[in-house]
Every structure is written in C-alpha cells, then in structure tokens.
Amino acid sequence: MSAILGATHPAGPAGPAGAASGMDGALVPIVALDDVSRIYPNGETVVRALDRVSLAILPGEFVAIMGQSGSGKSTLMNIVGCLDRASSGTYRVAGVDVAELDADALAALRCSTFGFVFQRYNLLPALTAAENVEIPAVYAGTPKAERAERARMLLARLGLQARVDHTPGQLSGGQQQRVSIARALMNAAPVILADEPTGALDSRSGEDVLALLGELNAEGHTVILITHDPDVAAHAHRIVRFQDGRIVEDERRRPEAGRPALPAHRPAGPAGMMRFLPDLAEAVRMAFASMHANIFRTALTLLGIVIGVASVITMLAVGDGGKRSVLERISQIGTNLLVVRPGAPGIRSSGDNATLLPEDAEALRSLPGIAAVAPERSGRYTLRYGSKDYFTQVTGASADYLEARDWPLASGVMFSAADVRSYAPVIVLGQTVAHNLFGAEDPVGRYVLVKNVPYEVLGVLASKGANAFGQDQDDVALVPLSTGFMRLYGRRFLNSVTVKVADSGDIPAVEAAMRRLIADRHQAEDFQIRNTAQFLETAIETQNTLTLVLGCVAAISLLVAGIGVMNIMLVGVTERTREIGIRMATGARMSNIMLQFNTEALVVCGVGGAVGVVLGIGAALGLEALGVNIALSLAPALLAFACAFLTGLVFGYLPARKAARLDPVVALSYE
Ligand code: ADP
Ligand code: MG
C-alpha cells in the first residue's frame, strides 16, 4: 500500500476549510486541528508537546495516530477529546470552535461527541460493569430505566451479558476493556478515542478489541486509535505518524472513507429544575455507594457528627430541664411576694437581728394593695408524740401565713386569729413531721409535746416538696406567733415578714411604701426587702447561662465533627482524583462533580444528624430515668439536625470545589 501523504486532507495550512471543501465538498471534518500547539512550561524552558499540528479527520474514518513514547500522541488525544485546550491554533469539532465554549459547554460536547477508551480501562472499581457503562448517560440526563436497558444491551453485544453485575475487580483485562468500550458507546458518541487500548492486553484480547473497533467503524463511528505498535496501527485505514509533536507522515491505506457523521445521541432531557432533580437523586445514590465502599471510615466520620448532634440535644434537654424545675419551684413560692428581713442591705443577716418587731408587721397591714401579711419567727425544737421524738423547725406564724404562702392544708384547719391573740397551745404539722411522728395515724386532735408543753394538732399541711435550694419545705411545724414568743423563742422579734401583694403589677409601689413605712418606724435602714420576681429573674439568668454553656460545649463538638468531615472529604478527593478524571472524561460537568461531593458530605452529615437526634433523645430519656430533670423539645432537635446539615454544606464545599476544579487531564493521569 502506498503512502498518500496529505493527499485529500492536506495537513498543511489549508486546514479544515480545505478539508471541508475537499473531494466531497459538503463534508465537514468532525475533528479539525489548525496550527495547534500545546506548550508545557518546564522550568526555565518549555516543552512543545504539540508543535503547530494541522489535521482533519472526516466522519467515518478509522485513523491510527502513531509515534514513539513522548511524541505527543496523548496530548493530541486530550485536545481532540476536549479534556485539554490548545495553547495556540484553533480546534473545531464538527465546525464548532471549542475556544468559544465554556467549561460546561465543553463537558456537554465531550459527553455527546466523544467516547474514550483508555489503556488502563479507567473503570470505577466500586461500580458494577453495567453502572460503569451507564455513567456517560447519567451525565447526559438519560432516564434511569432507559440507560440501564441500553447498558445491558451494549454489554450483551460485546459478549458480556453474564458479567453485567460484576465489578471491575472481578473481570479480566480484556473484559474490562470491552466494558470501557461499551461505556464509550453509551451516548452513541460518533467519535471513539482509544489511547493504546490494547497496551495492557494479551494479544488475543487485543485482537478482539481491535476487531470490535473495526466493526464500530464499519457502523459509522469515527475511530481515532493511538498506538506505538505498527501491527495495531495496521487495522486502521489511515495512519498519522508523530515525532516530537509534529506530524511526519499521513498515510491513507484505503480510499477516502468520508461519510456523513453519525448523529450524536442527544436525549431530550428535561430542563432546569427537572434536570437538577434526577442529577440530585443520582448524586445521593452515588454518595451512598461511596459511603458503602468506605464503610469503616464513613462510620468514624459519622461518629463525630452523631456525638456532636446527640450532645447538643442532651445538653440542651438537661439545661432546659434544670431551668424548668427551678422555675416550677419558684413559682410555687409565688411571684407576688415581698419579704422583709432584718439587717441593713449588703450585710448578710445572721438571723439574730432583733430589729424587726411584730408591731412592724401590724403596721404593714394598713398599707393599700396588700393581700396578706405573714410575720414569722423560727427555731429548732424537739417534738414528742408518745415515745417518738422528732427534731424540726418550729415556725411561729400569723393566722394568714398559709394564705400568704399559697399553702393548702391536707387535713384539719389552720389556727385562727383568735388562737394567736389567746396564746393558744395549738400546732399545724408539715407532711414530713406528721409522717415521722404519727406514721399512718391521723394526727389531727392529738397532742404533741414541745418543751414539755402539750400542743393540740389542728391540721396537717399539704406537701410542698423541696424548695429551689433543695430543702424539704414539709419539715416544719407551725404555732401561733404569740405562743411561740411566750413559750419557745424568748425575746419578741421576727426573722421575716412575708407580704403578699394583691396585684403583682403593684409590687414596685407597694415595696416603696413598705420601705418608707418601716424606715419611718425604725428611723434607720436596718432591714431589707426582696421580691421573688427579682429572685426568679436571677434564677432564670443563671439557668440560661448554664444552658448556653452546655449548648456551646455541644456546638463546639459539632464544629470539631464538621472539621473531621472536611478532613475526610479532602482525603477522599485526593484519593478519588482519578475517579473524578474518569467522570469528567465521560461527560461530567463541574457542577456534577461539585454536586456529587457536596451531596456526599450532606449525606454523611444528614445520616449522622438523624442518628445523633435519636441517640440524643435516647440519652436524655436515659438521664431522666436516672432522676435528672430534662425538658425535651422539638426545637433543639431540629436545630441540631439543621446544624449537622449545615456542617455538611459548609465543610463539604471546600472539598467539592477542590474536586470540581481538578484539571481532567491531570486527574486522569493521577496515580
Ligand atoms: P505520548 O503520549 O506520545 O507518549 P505525550 O503526549 O504524553 O506523549 O507527551 C508529549 C510530551 O509532552 C512529552 O515530552 C511529555 O514529557 C510532555 N508532557 C506531557 N504532559 C505534560 C505535562 N503535564 N507537563 C509537562 N510536560 C508534559
Ligand atoms: Mg501516551
């Protein structure tokens, strides 16, 4: 066969225009390089991998690109396949100058026009043969059912019907190469680019693959075969020889083979949002697949998120629970109370101040807006009933003491104002005292001895439980204040006067009036007035601070978990650089890669968040079972889950961007 160097398609400056108006006139070259150079910087100098190459390939040709290693064959293939751009010169695909296309348009062109077959197959190891074949159709937007059927059809045609669900690791080299050819055919790409497709195969499998490429060419595919092996090149109809980045020979072994181009398989995919949803569904599916492929690492990453979310929920539940129980206890005391204590403000009262007198309490009753005034004095004494002794706090009180404190009776009655006036030896017992002295017996009507004087039990108080400081409020006995002064306490002064204000809106006014009144009587500020609303505020503030601290600790653990996710994702991107390159070569746009990695981070964080919510609620309930006060509410759970999700979004972004910005050529050759 004679060499027809540049006979019909001059490789010289005439370029694609000459080719298009060549013998066939109407035929536009599918691939047309005009004066294309590709220059790599190499230290101070540069490497001219392609040096002013002009080459036109018509639809339907079977061209072998030959040359020694380093002659620029792969560089040419990358430019032809739109994985790389020329440093200078123009490259047209079916008449379209690729320099005018942006990255996404280029990806779309790659996806619809070129099918790549690589020396080392470049299948994704985690996917089955069928799934590998489907990838280009995924990025072309072909519906799932359609592409699955086409993948099976193609694999069957290449004699792999029994291997459809095998992973690349379970296939021989020849089988893998046939899978990669099926992948190249998935979008019915009119041009097949094969870079040393037989390089890694034994001669039998190599022959099979070459025969297959020949068949595809006979069906109308343009085949561009790159090889250094003359026997392989002999299968082609045209051999272009390269040396040092230049074409040195263009030999046509058969007459002109130009045919109308195969129409590219362009599925009329849905547009806009409808296009995005299947992409997303696919990305989620791939995310789960890749999580599954790295199950141990995924579990560890998940653990960080799970602990973060769970601790946020548990901590907030404990904090809120503490707050709620404090609030409950305080509201039991009542929020419209003012308490007068002896002792100047700022000086801690020792309780022995003898400045607050029963007469002060009586004077307070005359003020407007007051519902009840309850002076009191306490001391600790032993109560005796039969042979039982019980040491408790005996409080001298007025008849309206229970009203002021909103404290109902469980049985019997409270002593009356008359009892107070008459120094009656009567007593009302708290639950704890009644229980300790009488057990199951009814104390009402019985007598207890205090300092050897018998007191008739008039009633038993309802249980009040522990106060805000954890003290048992039921461990008390009440006697008339007058009786107490006479028989128990000695000198007549009060420990405190509790004033119940009729309308809690009047508290500031009543407090001011009380202050004036007592100061007037004492001619000194030797007392303090506190209101429970202030106390409540302080308690809420304290609890809020506690909740905030707990929440912050938990949030920090979530942040740490997020950084863990990012770290793992970045490692993942590096590890999967080759996969990213393969996906790009098979038509993935930057946005597809971005979406995929973002989705993976989101899926990890979402799953971790969900598990964390369940675990956090479980832990909170467990603590409740152990007696800790908790308050579970929806908001922290939603918040923590949202935070986990946000963590995925934020910390997945950087790795995803890194992945999407990879240069396909670099990614593909990454080891
Ligand atoms: P072939 O595929 O024919 O073996 P290549 O196209 O891979 O040759 O390489 C052509 C020339 O370009 C070689 O000299 C190679 O060293 C150089 N080259 C290829 N890729 C790069 C790169 N990314 N950076 C620098 N030089 C490169
Ligand atoms: Mg090469």
Side-chain angles (χ1 to χ4, degrees), residues 35-103:
D35 219 15
V36 165
S37 296
R38 179 66 173 97
I39 297 165
Y40 292 111
N42 182 15
E44 295 292 283
T45 62
V46 292
V47 178
R48 288 186 167 273
L50 286 183
D51 193 4
R52 307 196 63 182
V53 170
S54 293
L55 175 68
I57 295 172
L58 289 179
E61 281 197 285
F62 186 170
V63 185
I65 310 286
M66 272 195 75
Q68 289 172 335
S69 175
S71 56
K73 307 183 296 291
S74 296
T75 305
L76 177 77
M77 154 115 157
N78 290 335
I79 289 178
V80 168
C82 299
L83 289 170
D84 194 9
R85 288 181 193 262
S87 308
S88 66
T90 50
Y91 170 44
R92 290 189 176 82
V93 177
V96 177
D97 188 347
V98 298
E100 285 157 14
L101 303 179
D102 63 13

Side-chain angles (χ1 to χ4, degrees), residues 410-455:
S411 63
V413 293
M414 179 63 174
F415 44 75
S416 63
D419 289 333
V420 177
R421 277 194 301 275
S422 64
Y423 302 89
V426 290
I427 195 163
V428 173
L429 304 180
Q431 282 284 333
T432 306
V433 178
H435 188 76
N436 275 293
L437 287 178
F438 293 91
E441 213 180 321
D442 181 10
V444 177
R446 317 234 166 229
Y447 287 84
V448 294
L449 291 176
V450 187
K451 277 188 156 179
N452 288 323
V453 175
Y455 286 72

Side-chain angles (χ1 to χ4, degrees), residues 91-168:
Y91 170 44
R92 290 189 176 82
V93 177
V96 177
D97 188 347
V98 298
E100 285 157 14
L101 303 179
D102 63 13
D104 277 356
L106 217 53
L109 180 68
R110 199 152 61 214
C111 188
S112 62
T113 310
F114 299 102
F116 290 85
V117 179
F118 301 95
Q119 177 173 359
R120 287 174 52 223
Y121 331 128
N122 277 345
L123 301 176
L124 297 185
L127 305 184
T128 65
E131 285 167 340
N132 266 291
V133 173
E134 281 181 41
I135 294 175
V138 170
Y139 295 127
T142 314
K144 171 80 186 155
E146 189 184 325
R147 62 176 197 251
E149 196 196 305
R150 185 168 164 83
R152 269 161 211 278
M153 184 272 285
L154 286 169
L155 285 170
R157 208 198 120 184
L158 302 189
L160 290 169
Q161 58 271 45
R163 299 282 184 274
V164 169
D165 295 320
H166 289 216
T167 58

Side-chain angles (χ1 to χ4, degrees), residues 598-640:
N598 260 325
T599 308
E600 281 185 26
L602 277 183
V603 165
V604 168
C605 290
V607 170
V611 174
V613 166
V614 172
L615 211 73
I617 292 176
L621 292 178
L623 283 175
E624 190 176 37
L626 291 176
V628 178
N629 276 309
I630 65 148
L632 271 178
S633 48
L634 193 62
L638 285 181
L639 193 78

Side-chain angles (χ1 to χ4, degrees), residues 301-318:
T301 315
L302 269 179
L303 194 65
I305 294 289
V306 167
I307 291 175
V309 169
S311 57
V312 166
I313 291 177
T314 313
M315 297 289 189
L316 290 182
V318 169

